[in-house]
Amino acid sequence: MKSWVAISGARLAENFRAVRSVAGSGVEVLAVIKADAYGHGAAMCAPVLVEAGAKWLGVSDLEEGIAQRELMPHSGVRLLVMCGMEAGDAVGMVAHGLTPVVWTAEHVTAMERAARAGGHRVNVHLEVETGMARQGAAVVSELAHVLERLSASRWVHCEGVMTHLCCSEVAGAGTTKVAVERFAVALKKVAAAGMKPEFVHVANTSAVDEGGTMRWIRAKAKAMGARAMVRPGLALYGHCLPIDGTGAGALRPKLAPVMEWKTRVMGLREVEAGTTVGYGATFVAVKTMRLALLPVGYADGFRRAASSGVGDGWVMVKGKRASVVGRVSMNLTVVDVTEVAGVVDGDEVVLLGEGVSAEDHARWSGTISYDVLCWVRGRMVKV
C-alpha cells in the first residue's frame, strides 16, 4: 500500500455540530459532500453526517446524487444537486428523489415534464446570480421569466431560494454588500410572485465563520416566514480560509482536521557531499546526508511544488520535520532524515496531519486548502 488516508468520524461529527452551533438556533445545516466529500470519501462521510443530525446533503451532480441515494436509501436525508443540471437529468432527479438547483425556465420545464411523468410534485431550489457570473438567474434580466414559469407550474415547487457569494471570506467586502442587496431585491420579487419558500440560503463555510452575513440572512429569512439554511463544506472537514479584515472567525477555533494522510519509508541511503538528488539535479548535498525514499509523488496528490527550492515542503517522521530534497516526481519523493534518529524501512510518515497541514501544502503550491484536499490519493480507512 503506497499511502492511506485515515478519516476521523468523531471529528467530522463534532465539526458538523460546531457549524450548527455557530450558525444559530433554527438554522438548517446542509452538509456539502460534493467532489467525494472534498477528497474525504463521500461514502464514508455521508452516513457519519446523517448520524450527527444532517437532514440535507449537497452533491455536485446527478451521478453523485444517485450514488448517495443508493448508499442510504432509507435514511430520509434530502439531497440538493448544487452544480446545475442538463435537461436529460430531470428524469433521474425525480426517480431518485433529488432536489436540483435551477435558474432557467428550461430547467423548470424539464423538471415539470419529469414530475408529471412520475406522477408527483417535486421541489427545486432557485439560484439567483449576485456577482459570481456562474449559476443563477440575473435579478434584472432573467429572474422574472423564471419566476413566471415556477408560479405557473402545478408540478414544480420552489422550496428554497439561494445565492453564492464571491467574497465571503472578506469581512465587510463591498462585493458582499452588493450581493446581499441584489439578493434582497430578488427575494421581494419571489414574494411578489406569490411564492413562499421554506428555505433561504447564502452562507458557505467562510460566511458562517465571518458572521456578518449570517446575521443578515437569519433576519431576512425570518421576515419571509422561511428558515435560514447554510451550506458548509470545508468546515466539516476541519478547515476555514482566513477571514480578511478580522483574523480568526467564530467558527475556525472550534474545528479539527478530519483527514490524516500517511505513507511508509521504502528505502534509506547515505549520500556524500556533492551528490545530486532527483530530476534535473536541482539539489546537491553539501554534507553527508541520510535520505529516505517515499512511495508517493504528484500522481498521488503530493504536489511537485513541494520540491526543494520551490515550495520547500516537508513531511513528519517520528514527530520531526523531514524536508523534501530534490524534485517531487510522479510516484516517488526523497526526504532528509539526517537529523531524525532511528529511522528504518517501514516507518510511518505523515504527509498530511499533525505537523504538516493542508494550509502548509497550499502555501507551498500557491493554492488553497480546498484544492489540496481534493487531490489526495490513498486507500481510505475510517478511525
Side-chain angles (χ1 to χ4, degrees), residues 115-144:
R116 186 185 301 114
H120 62 89
R121 200 177 189 213
V122 298
N123 294 311
V124 300
H125 286 218
L126 169 65
E127 182 159 4
V128 178
E129 205 293 294
T130 59
M132 287 284 282
R134 299 191 316 182
Q135 298 182 174
V139 177
V140 175
S141 59
E142 299 168 342
L143 183 58

Side-chain angles (χ1 to χ4, degrees), residues 72-91:
M72 300 182 294
H74 306 300
S75 67
V77 68
R78 299 287 303 279
L79 295 169
L80 185 70
V81 180
M82 300 174 65
C83 297
M85 57 171 279
E86 300 175 41
D89 292 342
V91 172

Side-chain angles (χ1 to χ4, degrees), residues 297-298 301-307 328 361 365 367-368 371-373 375:
Y298 54 78
F302 195 81
R303 302 297 184 88
R304 194 170 185 267
S307 301
V328 175
H361 281 260
S365 305
T367 186
I368 56 176
D371 186 24
V372 170
L373 295 169
W375 279 100

Side-chain angles (χ1 to χ4, degrees), residues 7-21 23 28-34 36-42 45-50 52-59 82 203-206 208-209 230-241 251-252 254-259 369-370 373:
I7 301 298
S8 171
R11 284 187 172 185
L12 180 62
E14 189 57 36
N15 289 341
F16 175 83
R17 287 189 284 267
V19 172
R20 190 164 55 185
S21 172
E28 190 73 55
V29 178
L30 181 149
V32 180
I33 59 165
K34 65 186 178 75
D36 199 28
Y38 293 32
H40 290 67
C45 292
V48 174
L49 290 164
V50 171
K55 295 180 175 61
W56 285 83
L57 300 175
V59 298
M82 300 174 65
N204 63 356
T205 286
S206 291
V208 176
D209 193 32
V230 295
R231 307 184 303 267
L234 192 63
L236 300 175
Y237 310 107
H239 304 272
C240 285
L241 296 181
L251 182 57
R252 177 189 288 267
K254 300 177 181 293
L255 305 176
V258 169
M259 175 188 290
S369 50
Y370 289 84
L373 295 169

Side-chain angles (χ1 to χ4, degrees), residues 241-279:
L241 296 181
I243 301 297
D244 293 350
T246 64
L251 182 57
R252 177 189 288 267
K254 300 177 181 293
L255 305 176
V258 169
M259 175 188 290
E260 190 173 45
W261 183 26
K262 293 183 177 181
T263 188
R264 295 187 187 277
V265 173
M266 67 173 296
L268 292 153
R269 73 171 66 231
E270 286 196 0
V271 300
E272 301 299 323
T275 302
T276 60
V277 181
Y279 284 117

Side-chain angles (χ1 to χ4, degrees), residues 271-293:
V271 300
E272 301 299 323
T275 302
T276 60
V277 181
Y279 284 117
T282 58
F283 182 89
V284 182
V286 296
K287 62 180 181 179
T288 299
M289 300 178 68
R290 192 165 192 242
L291 305 179
L293 181 64

